[in-house]
Amino acid sequence: MKPATDWADLPYFLEVARTGSFRAAAEALRSTHATVARRVSALEQAYGVRLFDRSGEGMVLTQAGEDLVPLAEEAEESVISARRKLEGRDTRAAGTVHVSIPPALAYTILPGPLGAFSDAHPEIHLDVVVTNRFQDLTRREADVSIRMAFDVNEDVVGRRVVQCCKGIYASRRYIDENFAKAGPGGEGLFWIGWGETSDPPDWVGKSPFPTARMRHQIREGTMHLEMIRAHQGMSMLPGFVEVLYPDLVRMPGTELVPDRSIWILLHSDLRRTARVRLFVDFMVTQLQALKPILTASGLAERVEADDLS
C-alpha cells in the first residue's frame, strides 16, 4: 500500500460518493471521467476492496465504501482547515483567487468588473467557475462566491451588495405581433419554459397571463434569454435586461418586483488574505457603481452593503 497515493486518490473517491457518478465528480473536480475512474480503481486496488457497485442510478457505495467516507471526510477537513489557516496569513497581492459566479451574472454584468480587477491587479490570477450550484466554501470549492439569493444561512462572511428586481419581458417584435390579439389572461401568448419540469411555477397563475401556454423547455439561462430575444415568447427575467438589451421590454400592464440580492461570500479564514480581500472590496465597489443597471434605474428596493466583521 502506498500512503501518498491513497492520500491523492481520496478526493476522487469522496466526490463520487457525494455525486453518485464519475461524470458528475469529474465536473466538480474539473477533471475527466477517465481520471476519476482511474483514481477510484487505484484506491480499490490499494485497499483490496470494492468501494462502489454500479447500478441503474449510478455508483452506489459498498459497505467498505460507506466505512471509508467519514474517515476520508475527516482527512479532507484537516487538509482544508490547514490550507485556509496558512493562506489566511498571506499578505501578498498575488496568487490565485478561485471564484464561483452564476450564469445570469457571468454573461451579462460581471465580465467588465472582472476585467477591471485584472487590469488593476495583474499579479492576481482568477480561476472562475460559472455555475448555478452554491459551491461549498467550507470545502474550498471556491475562495469567493458571488451569488444571487434572498438570504444566506451558511457559516461564512459576506456582503449583501444590492437587491435586484425582476419583471416579465418579451421582445418588442413579439409584443407588436401578438399582444393586441391575445385573449383573456394572455390566451394565445407563450411562456418560454425553464427548469427541470414542464409545469409552470406558481407565480404564473398570479401573473396577468395565467392562460398563456408553456412553449419549449430551455434549462440553460443564456439560451433561455436568447429565445426571448428571438421573439419566441415571454419570461420572467432580471430587471437589468431592459438596460442591457434595448430590444427587450416589459410586457404591457406589468411592473418590476423585488428579486434576490447579489451577495459576495468568503470563508472567515480568508478574509484577511490580501488577494481575496482586494478582490472582494473591488467587486463590491464595482457592483455598487452598477446599481442603476442592476435595479433597472433604481426601481427596486435600495439595500446597503453590509460591512465585513
Side-chain angles (χ1 to χ4, degrees), residues 46-76:
Y47 291 160
V49 295
R50 193 175 68 255
L51 298 173
F52 295 98
D53 286 329
R54 291 183 179 272
S55 75
E57 298 179 355
M59 305 298 290
V60 179
L61 286 164
T62 63
Q63 185 59 55
E66 291 182 1
D67 292 342
L68 181 58
V69 167
L71 301 174
E73 288 178 335
E74 184 177 349
E76 177 191 53

Side-chain angles (χ1 to χ4, degrees), residues 182-212:
E187 184 179 348
L189 298 177
F190 291 106
W191 294 103
I192 299 298
W194 53 87
E196 297 301 320
T197 174
S198 58
D199 296 330
D202 292 341
W203 59 259
V204 167
K206 301 175 184 177
S207 76
F209 315 110
T211 60

Side-chain angles (χ1 to χ4, degrees), residues 261-281:
S261 295
I262 296 178
W263 296 75
I264 300 184
L265 309 174
L266 69 154
H267 194 279
S268 58
D269 287 345
L270 297 178
R271 61 183 173 178
R272 290 183 176 84
T273 304
R275 63 181 180 276
V276 174
R277 186 66 188 236
L278 283 170
F279 178 78
V280 169
D281 291 345

